[in-house]
Amino acid sequence: MAGVMSDLSFSVRGSALCVPLGLGLLLLAQPARALPQADKTLSTLHVHEQPRAASPGQAGDHSATPGAGHAAAAWTADACLAMVGEDPFGARDYAQDWLHHGGDRAARHCHALALIELGDEQTAAQELDDLVTKEPFSGPDSSASVRAIMAVEAVDAWLAAGMPQNAVRVADYALAIRPGDEALSVAKARALLELNNPQAVVAELGALVAHTPTAGAEAYVLLASAERRCGQLDKAREHVARALARAPENPAALLEEGIIREQVGDAVGARTDWQRVLDLAPDGHEADLARQDLAVLAADPDAADAESP
């Protein structure tokens, strides 16, 4: 069956050999510009609120946006970031006004996230990259931990802009100041898979899970995907099982388990996994791939014979 499955866009298939396959990321769950949504960013990074002389009002209230007559202290990261998901144009304008009145790293960060929402991933990626790598570093938004979070955002933005080499570079820089950071290692692994370098992913994430056995499901799914693409199916099965032990209803883990099962000749198990993906997240990117895989499976007479009673 492994030879029957097609190499689908963004579906990390490939032969049993560890060779470049021209494939996309396994875990890009969103189409086109696959970036974390602004509300996810807010939950991850609560940027330090600046002192303020007057409240800017509700985030979506443009009448409350500070004007030229206001002191710079009137702008806050919370107000700007709260606009990103609902009103990215407003967030962009707010951040630009803030920058014109003394705003610095927090304003630039909000501006970059607004640009992501507006579809300008390359400009946003460069702005985030600069926040991570270029001096001066000052204030609470310059700590290694905050810059690591911004580096993950930069990786995702570079990937959405189609520049995985830049994604790897900024991830490596951030790992130098934040060694062993799980989110950074996982982000780098996504970029390495985009560059069709599963060997490097096996090395990167193999070391991570060896030192961090409590690593999350995404690390194990990416590791399993890379091992499968290198022909290490036994290890891939072990690691995708660990991912599912952590997150039994994770669509990416179920999609990957189905791919592995198909490659070892378990068409029934593969079909079960892919159908489960459709049940759990019918509108997700993994569901699109699962539908394609099920269609290929249904068209394969060998698979049909294997499933016959």
Side-chain angles (χ1 to χ4, degrees):
M1 272 301 300
V4 177
M5 300 297 293
S6 60
D7 287 343
L8 302 171
S9 175
F10 288 107
S11 181
V12 186
R13 297 292 178 271
S15 67
L17 297 178
C18 196
V19 295
L21 301 172
L23 302 172
L25 298 177
L26 171 66
L27 295 180
L28 289 179
Q30 297 96 344
R33 55 187 184 91
L35 289 164
Q37 296 299 310
D39 56 346
K40 181 177 178 183
T41 301
L42 283 168
S43 68
T44 306
L45 174 58
H46 180 80
V47 180
H48 179 75
E49 180 172 346
Q50 307 298 316
R52 56 185 177 180
S55 170
Q58 298 299 316
D61 183 2
H62 292 289
S63 65
T65 300
H70 289 254
W75 281 267
T76 71
D78 284 346
C80 190
L81 291 170
M83 287 190 225
V84 169
E86 295 295 326
D87 182 10
F89 287 102
R92 180 200 61 189
D93 294 345
Y94 185 105
Q96 288 175 339
D97 284 345
W98 190 5
L99 286 166
H100 292 154
H101 294 86
D104 194 6
R105 294 180 63 83
R108 292 169 63 196
H109 181 230
C110 184
H111 184 253
L113 298 181
L115 290 181
I116 289 171
E117 290 298 311
L118 294 172
D120 189 358
E121 293 93 349
Q122 185 171 340
T123 303
Q126 187 62 66
E127 190 155 22
L128 290 165
D129 197 309
D130 290 346
L131 286 169
V132 174
T133 63
K134 292 187 178 180
E135 296 183 359
F137 302 125
S138 61
D141 302 328
S142 295
S143 67
S145 59
V146 171
R147 286 162 67 200
I149 293 170
M150 291 179 178
V152 172
E153 295 169 341
V155 167
D156 288 335
W158 282 128
L159 289 175
M163 298 180 177
Q165 296 91 341
N166 287 351
V168 172
R169 175 189 48 74
V170 72
D172 279 336
Y173 179 96
L175 282 165
I177 64 172
R178 185 85 170 172
D181 186 283
E182 180 179 340
L184 280 171
S185 294
V186 167
K188 180 181 176 181
R190 291 198 299 269
L192 289 169
L193 282 182
E194 183 72 13
L195 288 168
N196 305 312
N197 192 350
Q199 305 98 318
V201 175
V202 170
E204 182 88 25
L205 294 185
L208 173 70
V209 301
H211 291 93
T212 313
T214 58
E218 186 178 5
Y220 281 104
V221 173
L222 285 168
L223 178 56
S225 175
E227 289 167 336
R228 170 179 56 77
R229 292 170 67 179
C230 288
Q232 301 171 14
L233 293 180
D234 289 341
K235 289 183 178 180
R237 294 175 78 175
E238 175 189 347
H239 287 133
V240 81
R242 292 189 187 181
L244 287 166
R246 286 157 172 73
E249 296 187 343
N250 183 301
L254 288 164
L255 179 69
E256 179 61 34
E257 183 180 60
I259 299 168
I260 295 168
R261 284 179 163 176
E262 181 272 329
Q263 288 202 355
V264 300
D266 182 5
V268 175
R271 185 183 299 278
T272 299
D273 282 332
W274 294 333
Q275 185 59 53
R276 184 66 175 146
V277 172
L278 298 182
D279 294 340
L280 289 170
D283 298 324
H285 181 62
E286 288 90 353
D288 291 338
L289 299 178
R291 289 187 188 94
Q292 293 169 0
D293 288 342
L294 286 167
V296 173
L297 200 64
D300 178 29
D302 292 336
D305 292 342
E307 293 184 75
S308 298

